[in-house]
């Protein structure tokens, strides 16, 4: 299988998606999803991983992070993937890969585009038809943004406020709740593979800048614009949109 994009540029926000091997539902048990979150917390403690949002489904994960230029993202992903897969295989007496070979990373522009990506992640299990509201799915960032825990907090709320251009936690809670409710009542709850398969998503100027920074391979790709959303896709054969509940090839 061709390898997914995972090149990181310091200071950029990245939407990471990683799926279980052969699309298997290896995260269907809550204990395994909680275990994934535990190691996400450890990655924040050990490497200073800056987490903005996340969700763990039954066969893949979404993780929104900000690169701080310390190689913390690949180190964190290696730690989490390795510990979760090892524990599952030991418990089940299973051999073989737990995760697909590589995870995919999409650069997301701060501000309004980040808000849209935030909600896209929140609504993952709603799109799957498993729950009717993101608050009903335990292992996700929605509940943590709305009610930050006193201990074992994963999301860096200060970083999220800065990236969204907000001043207070209450402003974030109120706006986040409205964004999600609006999306539940509109087409915003629909699946959009640009958030999981593109190299970058945001304004045209942002996407063009990321395209140039990523180097020769990305420069060969064309920047597309639909409405107020610009994006540049990965090479057609390099990645398929297997991160959502239903698996369909990229168009």
């Amino acid at each position: 299988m061709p390898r997914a994009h995972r090149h990181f540029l310091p200071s950029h926000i990245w939407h990471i998606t990683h799926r279980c091997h052969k699309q298997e539902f290896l995260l269907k048990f809550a204990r395994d999803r909680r275990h994934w979150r535990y190691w996400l917390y450890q990655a924040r403690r050990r490497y200073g991983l800056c987490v903005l949002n996340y969700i763990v489904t039954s066969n893949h994960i979404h993780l929104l992070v900000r690169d701080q230029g310390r190689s913390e993202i690949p180190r964190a992903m290696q730690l989490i993937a390795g510990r979760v897969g090892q524990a599952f295989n030991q418990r089940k007496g299973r051999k073989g890969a737990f995760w697909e070979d590589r995870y995919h990373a999409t650069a997301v522009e701060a501000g309004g585009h980040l808000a849209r990506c935030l909600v896209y992640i929140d609504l993952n299990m709603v799109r799957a038809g498993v729950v009717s509201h993101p608050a009903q799915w335990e292992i996700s960032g929605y509940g943590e943004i709305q009610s930050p825990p006193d201990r074992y907090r994963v999301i860096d709320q200060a970083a999220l406020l800065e990236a969204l251009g907000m001043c207070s936690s209450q402003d974030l809670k109120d706006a986040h709740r409205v964004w999600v409710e609006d999306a539940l009542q509109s087409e915003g709850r629909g699946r959009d593979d640009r958030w999981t398969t593109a190299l970058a998503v945001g304004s045209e100027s942002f996407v063009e800048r990321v395209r140039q920074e990523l180097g020769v391979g990305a420069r060969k790709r064309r920047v597309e614009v639909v409405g107020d959303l610009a994006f540049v896709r990965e090479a057609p054969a390099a990645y398929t949109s297997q991160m959502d509940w239903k698996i369909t090839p990229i168009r």
Side-chain angles (χ1 to χ4, degrees):
M1 179 181 179
R3 296 196 163 202
H5 166 70
R6 62 173 187 183
H7 300 294
F8 299 109
L9 301 172
S11 80
H12 281 304
I13 295 166
W14 297 93
H15 177 202
I16 295 172
T17 41
H18 200 190
R19 64 188 176 92
C20 295
H21 186 60
K22 295 183 178 179
Q23 307 165 28
E24 294 180 68
F25 290 80
L26 301 179
L27 291 164
K28 64 182 179 180
F29 297 114
R31 66 184 295 180
D32 295 306
R33 296 193 294 271
R34 294 189 189 109
H35 197 218
W36 186 94
R37 188 192 181 280
Y38 168 79
W39 284 107
L40 178 62
Y41 170 75
Q42 291 298 329
R44 182 181 180 186
R45 288 189 60 196
R46 295 185 187 193
Y47 309 128
L49 185 68
C50 182
V51 180
L52 305 181
N53 200 10
Y54 66 93
I55 192 169
V56 189
T57 79
S58 294
N59 67 352
H60 69 279
I61 64 93
H62 292 252
L63 178 61
L64 194 61
V65 293
R66 172 158 245 158
D67 192 322
Q68 302 182 89
R70 300 194 295 262
S71 299
E72 72 277 8
I73 297 176
R75 293 166 71 194
M77 293 302 293
Q78 183 179 27
L79 173 71
I80 299 166
R83 294 302 178 90
V84 170
Q86 183 181 51
F88 181 88
N89 282 356
Q90 288 179 347
R91 191 176 85 245
K92 294 291 187 179
R94 178 182 178 272
K95 295 182 179 180
F98 184 93
W99 301 97
E100 276 301 340
D101 182 34
R102 297 182 74 161
Y103 50 88
H104 185 273
T106 299
V108 178
E109 187 173 11
H113 292 97
L114 172 61
R116 290 166 67 175
C117 184
L118 197 77
V119 173
Y120 185 79
I121 293 171
D122 290 331
L123 296 187
N124 194 273
M125 298 309 287
V126 175
R127 288 192 300 276
V130 178
V131 297
S132 59
H133 193 281
Q136 297 167 340
W137 189 254
E138 178 190 3
I139 310 300
S140 72
Y142 178 84
E144 187 168 339
I145 293 173
Q146 288 299 315
S147 301
D150 294 329
R151 301 179 62 193
Y152 306 114
R153 191 177 300 185
V154 170
I155 292 177
D156 188 332
Q157 195 164 102
L160 183 56
L161 284 169
E162 180 185 5
L164 290 169
M166 293 183 172
C167 298
S168 73
S169 297
Q170 191 59 52
D171 289 343
L172 172 60
K173 291 179 187 179
D174 293 343
H176 181 227
R177 186 167 55 252
V178 170
W179 296 336
V180 168
E181 295 302 328
D182 286 349
L184 287 171
Q185 301 300 321
S186 69
E187 295 180 358
R189 66 184 296 172
R191 185 176 164 278
D192 186 344
D193 65 7
R194 290 172 294 191
W195 296 111
T196 56
T197 62
L199 295 176
V201 178
S203 66
E204 189 170 0
S205 60
F206 168 80
V207 172
E208 178 59 35
R209 184 168 70 253
V210 172
R211 188 176 72 92
Q212 293 296 326
E213 291 175 351
L214 284 173
V216 176
R219 288 174 192 159
K220 296 177 181 179
R221 310 304 305 158
R222 180 172 62 88
V223 175
E224 302 176 55
V225 182
V226 177
D228 63 345
L229 193 69
F231 55 98
V232 58
R233 293 190 186 275
E234 178 67 283
Y239 193 68
T240 52
S241 55
Q242 295 158 320
M243 295 301 165
D244 289 303
W245 198 267
K246 293 184 178 179
I247 313 303
T248 55
I250 187 171
R251 291 187 299 277

